[in-house]
Amino acid sequence: MPTEKQQTQVRKEQIAQAVLSLAASHGLRGLSMAAIARRVGFGATAVYRHFKNKDEVLDAALALVGSRLRANVAAVCEETDDAIDRLYRLLMRHIKLIRDNEGIPRIVFSEDFYSGQPQRRARMYRGIEAYLGKVAAIIRQGQQAGQLDRDFEPGSGALMFLGLVQPAAILWHMSDGEFDVTRQARETWQLFLKAIRRN
Amino acid sequence: MPTEKQQTQVRKEQIAQAVLSLAASHGLRGLSMAAIARRVGFGATAVYRHFKNKDEVLDAALALVGSRLRANVAAVCEETDDAIDRLYRLLMRHIKLIRDNEGIPRIVFSEDFYSGQPQRRARMYRGIEAYLGKVAAIIRQGQQAGQLDRDFEPGSGALMFLGLVQPAAILWHMSDGEFDVTRQARETWQLFLKAIRRN
DNA sequence: CTCCATTGTAAATGCTCGTTCACATCGTAG
DNA sequence: CTACGATGTGAACGAGCATTTACAATGGAG
């Protein structure tokens, strides 16, 4: 047996990360069990020692994405107390996360990921809602502190915040990295700030 | 032969539309030749009378989306000369287009659609760029007319414009229609307006 | 009316891929 | 040290699906 044995816990993480990496280069279509396993250094069938089936593997990858997003929010709240600072840092972290793991948007926005899996779609929906809720909380904090305008709903602001990244991210990877996400995000951030800041 | 004969031109349109309809309910994964053909009222193999292979079928669907988007821009430019009006109407038309053809975002954002097809991805990129260019042109017109602020690039504004719809659209169909896109778009439109309007 | 190009069908092929099974090997508890 | 559970392997199966092929029906041009 050429491959070393490893704990299931370790393997699970490796497999989930392999899904993200592979999705980055080949999307969901080329995401076969064999490809995932090869990435880890496996035969295809070994994956079944750690997961019941492919769906469980994809679920693990999804959970990984969720934990990364939560970590970002926690980090910016650690770094600063200022609402605007928090939002800007979160924006930059979000972009970096996507740049480093191109597979994330490819999976999250891929419809094949959800087709035939209503529970997974529901879980994803709740995950995005939770993320938006945390952004909204930061915005509400800014409104109460008097930095941000009070005449809009924090939820709408949070949605717009997400809109700062999404089109840029899609264009970025459609252009094969040619499109400058970071620069564009900085530009639209200025517009966003003008929209939400107390005049 | 139970099925009536039809002109290739007619069939091509039917097939492309069938792709959009099917993608709406089952994503790209369930999008088999058999399913497409059945939707039209066909056997699977009959599709090959009109298209060389599946890739050509998907390309046709993509072209259909492009023509719909162009039609929207042309329509709003017909309806009014005012830049802000044009943008608002385009936003609403864009939303309606997506609500009526849920398959569009499912295809456009599905990475499987592009994986292994670099030319198609490039074509899509050019298509989005062209759309953004037209939005930017409307914005520039508004800047020259003095309605809109001059201190931001029209391209950035156009990107932000796209960001008004995208997250809302994704949440909409992830929530199975529960999320109110139109209401949210109206809210974020107010924010957008505050961001771009000449104070 | 009669060809024949066009449009359709059914059966068959070959490939990819998820999954199972029987067996080998590692590492650790006792 | 020894057994046994945990982990890994390769072969094989079966389903789904794109595509090809041989054949039938349609319908308009001459």
Side-chain angles (χ1 to χ4, degrees):
Chain A
M1 184 157 26
T3 312
E4 280 182 53
K5 281 194 179 184
Q6 290 292 334
Q7 303 288 339
T8 285
Q9 190 52 36
V10 178
R11 288 300 194 206
K12 281 195 173 185
E13 289 178 25
Q14 290 179 334
I15 291 171
Q17 182 56 53
V19 170
L20 291 191
S21 306
L22 278 176
S25 47
H26 299 301
L28 270 189
R29 171 160 273 168
L31 206 65
S32 66
M33 282 297 193
I36 296 169
R38 200 176 327 119
R39 184 79 171 203
V40 183
F42 261 150
T45 59
V47 181
Y48 290 84
R49 291 291 168 205
H50 311 287
F51 292 99
K52 191 182 156 202
N53 52 28
K54 191 176 182 180
D55 276 333
E56 268 196 4
V57 174
L58 296 183
D59 282 340
L62 187 56
L64 188 58
V65 173
S67 72
R68 299 269 171 88
L69 288 177
R70 278 190 298 275
N72 272 357
V73 175
V76 300
C77 287
E78 270 293 316
E79 289 172 10
T80 174
D81 285 336
D82 183 80
I84 291 180
D85 272 357
R86 282 182 172 176
L87 288 175
Y88 185 71
R89 284 163 187 257
L90 187 58
L91 179 65
M92 288 307 154
R93 275 181 176 270
H94 195 117
I95 288 171
K96 178 167 168 38
L97 180 63
I98 288 177
R99 290 195 63 136
D100 290 346
N101 289 308
E102 202 176 342
I104 292 181
R106 292 205 183 195
I107 284 184
V108 171
F109 299 148
S110 171
E111 294 314 319
D112 300 4
F113 190 56
Y114 311 103
S115 71
Q117 311 289 340
Q119 346 89 18
R120 184 182 295 156
R121 170 175 309 196
R123 187 150 14 103
M124 187 67 204
Y125 181 57
R126 285 197 304 271
I128 297 181
E129 264 193 330
Y131 188 66
L132 284 177
K134 289 179 180 182
V135 176
I138 298 178
I139 290 178
R140 192 172 297 110
Q141 166 210 349
Q143 288 177 325
Q144 285 165 358
Q147 298 175 286
L148 303 184
D149 219 333
R150 283 191 172 85
D151 64 356
F152 68 93
E153 290 184 27
S156 299
L159 203 64
M160 200 177 194
F161 177 81
L162 214 58
L164 295 183
V165 201
Q166 242 179 60
I170 288 177
L171 282 178
W172 170 62
H173 102 251
M174 284 226 178
S175 71
D176 262 317
E178 188 193 319
F179 187 88
D180 190 341
V181 216
T182 312
R183 198 182 75 82
Q184 274 300 330
R186 258 192 270 272
E187 291 250 2
T188 49
W189 165 259
Q190 291 304 327
L191 283 169
F192 180 65
L193 212 52
K194 191 178 162 210
I196 65 172
R197 188 144 52 179
R198 195 167 174 183
N199 56 326
Chain B
M1 187 160 20
T3 312
E4 280 181 53
K5 282 195 179 184
Q6 289 291 335
Q7 302 288 339
T8 284
Q9 189 54 34
V10 178
R11 288 299 195 207
K12 282 196 172 184
E13 289 177 25
Q14 290 179 336
I15 291 171
Q17 181 56 53
V19 171
L20 291 190
S21 306
L22 278 176
S25 45
H26 299 300
L28 269 191
R29 170 157 274 169
L31 206 65
S32 66
M33 282 296 199
I36 296 170
R38 200 178 325 118
R39 183 79 171 202
V40 183
F42 260 152
T45 58
V47 180
Y48 290 84
R49 291 292 168 207
H50 311 289
F51 292 99
K52 189 183 158 201
N53 52 27
K54 190 176 182 180
D55 276 333
E56 270 197 2
V57 174
L58 295 182
D59 282 340
L62 187 57
L64 188 57
V65 174
S67 71
R68 297 269 171 89
L69 288 177
R70 278 191 297 277
N72 272 358
V73 175
V76 300
C77 287
E78 270 294 315
E79 289 171 10
T80 173
D81 284 337
D82 183 82
I84 292 180
D85 273 356
R86 281 181 173 178
L87 288 175
Y88 184 71
R89 284 164 188 257
L90 187 59
L91 180 65
M92 289 307 155
R93 273 180 177 272
H94 195 117
I95 289 172
K96 178 166 169 37
L97 179 64
I98 288 177
R99 290 193 64 136
D100 291 346
N101 289 309
E102 203 176 342
I104 292 181
R106 293 205 183 195
I107 285 185
V108 171
F109 299 148
S110 171
E111 294 314 320
D112 301 3
F113 189 56
Y114 311 103
S115 72
Q117 311 290 338
Q119 348 87 16
R120 183 183 296 155
R121 171 174 309 196
R123 188 150 12 103
M124 186 68 204
Y125 182 57
R126 285 197 304 273
I128 297 181
E129 264 192 330
Y131 188 65
L132 283 177
K134 289 180 179 182
V135 176
I138 297 178
I139 292 178
R140 192 171 298 109
Q141 167 210 348
Q143 288 177 325
Q144 285 166 357
Q147 298 176 287
L148 303 183
D149 219 333
R150 283 191 172 86
D151 63 356
F152 69 93
E153 289 184 27
S156 299
L159 204 64
M160 200 178 195
F161 178 81
L162 215 58
L164 296 182
V165 202
Q166 240 178 63
I170 287 177
L171 283 178
W172 169 63
H173 100 250
M174 284 225 179
S175 70
D176 262 318
E178 189 193 319
F179 187 88
D180 191 340
V181 215
T182 312
R183 198 182 75 82
Q184 274 301 330
R186 257 192 270 271
E187 292 250 3
T188 49
W189 165 258
Q190 291 303 326
L191 283 169
F192 180 64
L193 211 51
K194 191 178 161 210
I196 64 172
R197 189 143 52 180
R198 195 167 175 183
N199 57 326

